[in-house]
Amino acid sequence: MDNRTSSDQVDAVVVGAGFAGMYMLYRLRQDGFSVCVFERGSDVGGTWYWNRYPGARCDVESMEYSFKFSEELQQDWEWTERYATQPEILSYAEHVAERFDLRSGISFDTTVTSAVFDDQTLSWSVQTMGPIGVAKEVHAQFLIMATGCLSSTNEPAFDGLDEFQGATYHTGDWPHDRVDFADKTVGVVGTGSSGVQSIPVIAEQCRHLTVFQRTPNFTIPAHNRPLDPTEQAEIKANYHQLREANEAMTSGFGSRYPRNEISSLSVSAEEAETILEQRWADGGLSFLGAFNDLMLSEEANVVAADFVRRKLRSIVRDPTVAELLSPTQVIGCKRLCVDSGYWETFNRENVTLVDISSEPITFTSAGIKVGDVVRELDTVVFATGFDAMTGALTSAGIVGRGTQPLTKTWEAGPVNYLGLGVHGFPNLFMITGPGSPSVLTNMITAIQQHVEWIADAMNHLRQHGLTVIEPQAEAQRQWVAHVNGIADFTLFPSCNSWYLGANVPGKPRVFMPLPGYPDYKAKCNQVASNGYEGFDLE
Ligand code: NA7
């Protein structure tokens, strides 16, 4: 192994070359900062680079899930479907990298192993491990974590897994070569979005599929379709309108189907049914915008939840299977899934559903054991999700003032100010960090707002001859209380979701994203225009 070490000094180190890292690089270059981007993958794309599993698709419409910073880019790029597939989104990311010459600023196959703040020099020492084991140290004034919300896979320690003789895959770390399911007996563990998207496709390809379900999930049909060129041209003629509507969305449901500003309890049962039928026909996440209080009142929520449970029973022919698939939690509490033929898949002869809600699965050399029954499997797909929102941050070896590790500061939960910074970690910025709207809005909208805010803050420091920006402890305390207060006002904390960290054993249970993007954006703007109130500037 070659352990040569070289040293460098830049204005900013950016970690990650997904959409956040790419746009941060673009923007900082425009503003004349020197930047170094490190990416553990072999190319750009981030989440869309790793999540190559069969059926992977975005649950936000393609015309909305794209950058707005370049008019030429948004006019030139042609999307082919209402919801873009992972390969198409990855092609878009590659196109952005090519078009703006971003790859020249990115070190690929390079993992950040630690990032330590030096109290003397007031700069970050970032250690990386690159291809063929080349270690490198870079010193930077700013450390910008563009590591994504869904990038650190959750791989539960299943008993006996080492003994299993078959092949295993994780949806969030899928091989680049095609996985052949033909004539195989396959097991899928997990029924969140990744399971819901991959199960119908795998079922069509394999001999027999067994789905191991711990918690049933609500899912709404995508009604995906090719994008009509006329429709696309119409949107492009007024693209700014769609972008503005995106900025005004309180959630990530999609601005083409705005929230219906009435309560489900204010209409008759027949009227509610008509509205929900229309939303079901529209498809996708906008179903949750059928009424304005679905995430605020259990009584209101159950109107929509019961509607979907009835749909499920009308789709799945075997009543016992339908009952097992029937979710009991509040609809929208766990992220709503958007599917293409998920429940229909359980009508297939070659698909079996196994309930694992009351006891964990264990592995044998031949397959998965539930109770006394071993199901023999050639291949197991783990669709077990992510150490969401914090996993990639806590695994980067970040150490702040006074040699305090971020993992220690976040022992009881990811304290932060505006989801952008953490007290004790000067000049550290997080793009779509915990405490910001991130996954509860369109991620690309959230990324653009954060990148621009961070670049503006860095310009502010430079223009005023300042070198350090750090959240104040009191501002952070108030922000955390604010985010918790908003979450507690909703039904989000009522189930075991990854928003709460409940899917990862031992992770502190704190609701991490902040509902309400427009108010959040206004707050960030206010903080900046008041001279970065809540931050210490040195
Ligand atoms: P999710 O939504 O976190 O789903 C993971 C699934 O894996 C879910 O059904 C979990 O059950 C299940 N799981 C997790 N750990 C275990 C163990 N130990 N045993 C059995 N089953 C387990 O991840 P996805 O990748 O599907 O989606 C993440 C986001 O990506 C999605 O929301 C979209 O925004 C895109 P549980 O529900 O915890 O009982």
Side-chain angles (χ1 to χ4, degrees):
M1 184 186 281
D2 183 347
N3 279 324
R4 277 173 304 151
T5 302
S6 61
S7 183
D8 259 321
Q9 176 77 47
V10 287
D11 292 326
V13 157
V14 175
V15 189
F19 287 118
M22 285 200 293
Y23 184 38
M24 195 76 242
L25 170 63
Y26 170 84
R27 177 63 205 266
L28 291 181
R29 273 181 173 174
Q30 295 258 308
D31 292 352
F33 289 99
S34 56
V35 193
C36 216
V37 182
F38 296 113
E39 165 57 54
R40 74 186 160 99
S42 301
D43 204 350
V44 296
T47 295
W48 297 105
Y49 174 88
W50 298 102
N51 283 264
R52 297 167 177 257
Y53 60 84
R57 226 176 247 287
C58 190
D59 58 9
V60 175
E61 293 194 24
S62 52
M63 295 300 291
E64 304 186 31
Y65 194 79
S66 55
F67 284 126
K68 65 168 186 186
F69 71 84
S70 158
E71 183 58 23
E72 294 75 24
L73 169 65
Q74 69 177 8
Q75 290 299 330
D76 289 354
W77 184 262
E78 295 282 321
W79 294 103
T80 63
E81 295 178 72
R82 179 183 180 190
Y83 295 100
T85 59
Q86 173 272 333
E88 190 166 30
I89 300 171
L90 192 57
S91 299
Y92 173 73
E94 289 164 359
H95 171 78
V96 172
E98 199 69 34
R99 188 173 187 126
F100 300 106
D101 180 33
L102 299 177
R103 286 195 181 92
S104 60
I106 305 169
S107 302
F108 292 105
D109 298 305
T110 302
T111 302
V112 169
T113 50
S114 73
V116 180
F117 186 75
D118 184 328
D119 295 294
Q120 303 303 314
T121 60
L122 302 179
S123 68
W124 287 92
S125 296
V126 180
Q127 301 279 343
T128 65
M129 186 54 77
I132 54 164
V134 179
K136 193 173 169 186
E137 185 176 44
V138 177
H139 299 278
Q141 185 184 355
F142 298 97
L143 174 66
I144 304 173
M145 300 302 289
T147 38
C149 293
L150 299 166
S151 42
S152 181
T153 51
N154 174 36
E155 298 175 22
F158 292 110
D159 278 354
L161 183 55
D162 289 350
E163 290 164 34
F164 179 56
Q165 296 296 308
T168 59
Y169 303 96
H170 193 290
T171 48
D173 188 7
W174 200 260
H176 286 225
D177 299 331
R178 187 172 175 274
V179 176
D180 187 7
F181 293 110
D183 213 28
K184 298 272 197 305
T185 52
V186 181
V188 173
V189 182
T191 52
S193 293
S194 305
V196 163
Q197 288 186 337
S198 58
I199 283 165
V201 183
I202 297 173
E204 279 176 7
Q205 296 175 4
C206 71
R207 177 148 53 89
H208 190 273
L209 173 66
T210 307
V211 175
F212 297 88
Q213 173 191 270
R214 187 164 73 176
T215 312
N217 251 321
F218 284 102
T219 180
I220 305 295
H223 298 311
N224 189 37
R225 55 178 166 76
L227 264 187
D228 171 3
T230 317
E231 178 190 6
Q232 185 153 189
E234 276 168 14
I235 292 174
K236 285 186 176 176
N238 291 301
Y239 223 147
H240 66 282
Q241 272 180 10
L242 185 71
R243 302 301 192 189
E244 276 165 25
N246 254 263
E247 293 285 331
M249 279 190 312
T250 48
S251 63
F253 304 157
S255 56
R256 299 220 283 157
Y257 302 92
R259 194 169 67 178
N260 196 7
E261 291 303 338
I262 54 170
S263 163
S264 70
L265 304 174
S266 69
V267 294
S268 67
E270 294 72 29
E271 283 171 301
E273 192 78 3
T274 307
I275 291 168
L276 290 166
E277 277 293 356
Q278 183 56 54
R279 290 278 167 165
W280 182 266
D282 293 339
L285 296 176
S286 67
F287 184 83
L288 282 179
F291 300 102
N292 66 0
D293 54 354
L294 293 183
M295 290 313 296
L296 299 177
S297 140
E298 274 196 51
E299 211 186 338
N301 186 282
V302 85
V303 175
D306 279 347
F307 173 90
V308 178
R309 284 189 278 258
R310 284 198 297 279
K311 285 288 184 194
L312 159 61
R313 287 196 292 273
S314 74
I315 294 169
V316 178
R317 285 197 289 271
D318 182 332
T320 316
V321 176
E323 189 55 34
L324 269 184
L325 285 168
S326 194
T328 51
Q329 71 272 17
V330 156
I331 184 170
C333 181
K334 281 173 184 271
R335 189 180 178 93
L336 192 59
C337 299
V338 177
D339 74 282
S340 296
Y342 176 65
W343 281 330
E344 289 82 349
T345 300
F346 293 89
N347 291 331
R348 293 176 64 103
E349 292 291 318
N350 71 334
V351 175
T352 308
L353 178 67
V354 175
D355 173 25
I356 55 166
S357 59
S358 49
E359 64 177 311
I361 56 171
T362 56
F363 278 78
T364 70
S365 60
I368 291 181
K369 190 174 175 200
V370 181
D372 296 331
V373 181
V374 176
R375 294 179 193 264
E376 293 192 6
L377 301 165
D378 300 313
T379 306
V380 171
V381 172
F382 294 113
T384 45
F386 301 89
D387 182 353
M389 306 200 64
T390 54
L393 294 164
T394 51
S395 60
I398 298 174
V399 177
R401 273 194 204 277
T403 68
Q404 168 89 348
L406 183 66
T407 45
K408 179 96 183 130
T409 303
W410 281 6
E411 230 167 24
V415 291
N416 65 84
Y417 181 43
L418 302 174
L420 278 161
V422 184
H423 176 68
F425 297 81
N427 290 354
L428 166 73
F429 290 116
M430 303 176 290
I431 303 179
T432 64
S436 76
S438 61
V439 293
L440 292 184
T441 190
N442 176 340
M443 277 299 285
I444 300 209
T445 305
I447 284 168
Q448 288 176 126
Q449 185 255 337
H450 265 192
V451 166
E452 285 158 18
W453 192 96
I454 292 166
D456 289 349
M458 288 169 62
N459 279 306
H460 177 89
L461 293 186
R462 191 167 57 177
Q463 281 153 14
H464 292 82
L466 300 162
T467 50
V468 176
I469 179 167
E470 180 185 351
Q472 293 164 356
E474 179 54 20
Q476 175 165 294
R477 194 196 58 72
Q478 286 179 19
W479 183 252
V480 169
H482 169 74
V483 174
N484 289 341
I486 294 205
D488 289 344
F489 189 67
T490 71
L491 299 175
F492 280 117
S494 68
C495 71
N496 292 324
S497 69
W498 59 258
Y499 296 141
L500 264 178
N503 61 326
V504 177
K507 189 166 173 174
R509 214 184 151 92
V510 176
F511 192 77
M512 294 178 285
L514 169 70
Y517 173 74
D519 288 349
Y520 170 79
K521 186 181 169 189
K523 169 74 178 171
C524 290
N525 289 345
Q526 181 205 331
V527 164
S529 56
N530 288 346
Y532 294 89
E533 66 186 347
F535 287 93
D536 281 327
L537 307 183
E538 292 173 24

